[in-house]
Amino acid sequence: APVTSLVPAQRVEEPMVSACFIVRDEELWIEDAIASLAGFADEVVVYDTGSRDRPPELARRAGALVVAGEWHDDFARARAASAEAAQGRWVLWLAADERLGGDLAAARARLADPIAPWEGYSVRIRNLLGVGLSFSDHFATRLVRRRATTWRGSIHETVWTRDGARPATSQRS
């Protein structure tokens, strides 16, 4: 059989979207968070930073790849470690208490464009306040090209080009 990476124009199959979580003691939320990715993510990676409850077990049962990691007070480092285990062209990061919503088919179609001029997308994050009767929205770059980007900053981390030359460009989704 030919080596597909050496055959001109041979399409190499890879997942389009990997969803990554950084978790610790999130058993109450992880299953619903993973379920919200149905129809959007091709794979789910859960980077567990030392849970004392059951997120690894529950995530595996939901079909996720679980990576046993460590916490070093550095979100950029944890994001990079979770992305190392991912195989998708695009990586989406969510917290276990966040859920994916919106027009997922349209979002996947946008991600399929191989020549889009940006490295990432800023997504709307809706924070429920109090008992959920009100909310606030903000945008953050959470969906990025895996091979083109990296993260900087231990807290309030930002997305940069892989070569570190500049902040990554992103488009609002």
Side-chain angles (χ1 to χ4, degrees), residues 16-17 39-40 90 100-113 118 121 143 172-173:
M16 185 165 57
V17 180
F40 184 73
W90 292 91
L100 188 62
D103 187 342
L104 302 182
R108 278 189 65 90
R110 193 178 293 167
L111 297 178
D113 179 359
W118 39 82
Y121 284 95
L143 180 59
R172 277 195 179 177
S173 60

Side-chain angles (χ1 to χ4, degrees), residues 34-46:
I34 292 171
S36 78
L37 298 164
F40 184 73
D42 301 301
E43 72 170 350
V44 176
V45 175
V46 173

Side-chain angles (χ1 to χ4, degrees), residues 25-32 34 46 53-64 66:
D25 300 334
E26 305 281 1
E27 78 175 21
L28 295 177
W29 301 282
I30 194 66
E31 289 177 298
D32 287 341
I34 292 171
V46 173
D53 60 4
R54 302 179 320 140
E57 171 191 334
L58 298 172
R60 279 189 198 94
R61 188 169 43 190
V66 176

Side-chain angles (χ1 to χ4, degrees), residues 1-157:
V3 177
T4 59
S5 63
L6 300 178
V7 177
Q10 176 69 35
R11 185 173 180 192
V12 177
E13 292 297 321
E14 65 182 349
M16 185 165 57
V17 180
S18 300
C20 292
F21 293 89
I22 301 166
V23 302
R24 182 172 181 175
D25 300 334
E26 305 281 1
E27 78 175 21
L28 295 177
W29 301 282
I30 194 66
E31 289 177 298
D32 287 341
I34 292 171
S36 78
L37 298 164
F40 184 73
D42 301 301
E43 72 170 350
V44 176
V45 175
V46 173
Y47 183 80
D48 185 78
T49 63
S51 290
R52 294 164 294 201
D53 60 4
R54 302 179 320 140
E57 171 191 334
L58 298 172
R60 279 189 198 94
R61 188 169 43 190
L65 168 66
V66 176
V67 176
E70 297 177 358
W71 181 243
H72 297 277
D73 293 326
D74 188 331
F75 280 99
R77 183 176 179 171
R79 287 188 196 276
S82 65
E84 285 178 26
Q87 300 297 310
R89 285 178 277 165
W90 292 91
V91 176
L92 168 71
W93 274 277
L94 291 174
D97 62 349
E98 296 174 335
R99 304 295 175 265
L100 188 62
D103 187 342
L104 302 182
R108 278 189 65 90
R110 193 178 293 167
L111 297 178
D113 179 359
I115 59 170
W118 39 82
E119 289 94 15
Y121 284 95
S122 293
V123 299
R124 179 191 318 268
I125 299 170
R126 175 161 286 171
N127 295 301
L128 299 179
L129 304 173
V131 293
L133 298 177
S134 62
F135 61 87
S136 69
D137 288 344
H138 71 278
F139 282 84
T141 302
R142 293 279 197 92
L143 180 59
V144 299
R145 290 183 192 269
R146 181 174 57 89
R147 292 188 181 119
T149 58
T150 189
W151 291 85
R152 284 189 182 177
S154 58
I155 192 165
H156 303 297
E157 63 281 10

